[in-house]
Amino acid sequence: GPKVLQIPSHQIIDMGQMVTLNCDPVSNHLYFYWYKQILGQQMEFLVNFYNGKVMEKSKLFKDQFSVERPDGSYFTLKIQPTALEDSAVYFCASSPPGLGVYEQYFGPGTRLTVL
Amino acid sequence: GQQVQQSPTSLVLQEGENAELQCNFSTSLNSMQWFYQRPGGSLISVFYNPSGTKQSGRLTSTTVIKERRSSLHISSSQITDSGTYLCAMRTGGYKVVFGSGTRLLVSP
């Protein structure tokens, strides 16, 4: 089936540094999402992105977070600066246009460790 | 408050037994999706089922919008069914809310 890829699979970074998480969504999909999951806890919605804009974001999407998808390349989540509480697995998801717009396809996640 | 209540929190079955997983919603919904999360973490879509009943092999999902609930039935469980099952709902707009999951363990 359709696959979403995420790069890297693991990232270790010092607190205060910047990190960019990359997502390669399914090719014809137009809606993109980021989620955060702390080990053993619930999956939490961060942000939805469509047509170059943030459509909706949660309280977890702090000012230090930003998303973009320049020229149809990777859909990225940037955290600058990072904090200890940003340690989690970040999942990217995408949805197709049309009738399937609410059906999401998830990537394998990027495990971010902030030291 | 919690918009999605998932039950049971955990479930232990012997191989061959059936399982019924439930999600109840505190608000009206306009889409519903069930996922299987592997112990390693990746999510696999089991059903996209905003309403009605869908079946795929041993799995059946039923969503009743008026009653604000959705269920996932696993028949003749197998050891490979072990993992965490998550439901996710969308009430409107683009925000998606996940349940806390049901951890299923199927033993021989």
Side-chain angles (χ1 to χ4, degrees):
Chain A
K3 288 202 174 183
V4 175
L5 305 176
Q6 289 187 241
I7 302 161
S9 57
H10 292 83
Q11 179 87 53
I12 299 174
I13 199 164
D14 289 325
M15 184 177 64
Q17 287 194 306
M18 182 195 77
V19 68
T20 300
L21 308 183
N22 299 291
C23 172
D24 187 10
V26 179
S27 61
N28 66 329
H29 286 191
L30 298 179
Y31 297 83
F32 312 113
Y33 307 80
W34 283 105
Y35 292 85
K36 176 182 180 181
Q37 188 177 39
I38 294 172
L39 187 63
Q41 296 187 22
Q42 201 154 339
M43 185 78 69
E44 302 275 9
F45 171 85
L46 285 177
V47 67
N48 166 256
F49 188 83
Y50 168 72
N51 199 24
K53 299 175 195 170
V54 170
M55 303 304 291
E56 193 157 358
K57 59 185 180 181
S58 72
K59 292 177 184 176
L60 295 178
F61 193 78
K62 305 180 295 185
D63 291 342
Q64 297 90 327
F65 288 26
S66 63
V67 290
E68 63 176 356
R69 193 187 186 210
D71 300 325
S73 60
Y74 288 147
F75 174 51
T76 62
L77 174 65
K78 185 186 292 185
I79 309 174
Q80 182 177 25
T82 51
L84 295 177
E85 60 266 26
D86 296 331
S87 294
V89 180
Y90 290 83
F91 290 94
C92 169
S94 67
S95 294
L99 291 176
V101 66
Y102 293 138
E103 183 172 8
Q104 296 182 82
Y105 296 80
F106 276 72
T110 293
R111 185 175 300 276
L112 175 65
T113 301
V114 182
L115 303 176
Chain B
Q2 185 76 323
Q3 289 184 286
V4 183
Q5 295 283 352
Q6 213 172 325
S7 62
T9 305
S10 62
L11 185 59
V12 179
L13 299 176
Q14 280 207 306
E15 199 172 14
E17 290 183 324
N18 299 334
E20 184 88 6
L21 282 56
Q22 295 282 350
C23 268
N24 291 286
F25 311 101
S26 59
T27 60
S28 58
L29 70 150
N30 62 16
S31 79
M32 231 299 297
Q33 195 166 357
W34 282 92
F35 294 92
Y36 167 70
Q37 187 167 28
R38 291 180 174 146
S42 60
L43 265 71
I44 299 169
S45 180
V46 178
F47 283 112
Y48 171 65
N49 186 20
S51 67
T53 298
K54 288 191 173 182
Q55 183 176 3
S56 176
R58 297 180 294 105
L59 303 180
T60 304
S61 170
T62 299
T63 299
V64 184
I65 294 176
K66 281 186 183 176
E67 297 178 13
R68 297 181 180 175
R69 63 175 177 85
S70 183
S71 64
L72 178 66
H73 183 84
I74 305 173
S75 62
S76 304
S77 61
Q78 299 177 359
I79 294 171
T80 50
D81 294 333
S82 298
T84 299
Y85 291 82
L86 302 170
C87 63
M89 63 169 273
R90 191 192 305 254
T91 59
Y94 297 92
K95 184 178 179 182
V96 177
V97 180
F98 274 81
S100 53
T102 293
R103 286 190 179 81
L104 176 65
L105 176 63
V106 182
S107 57

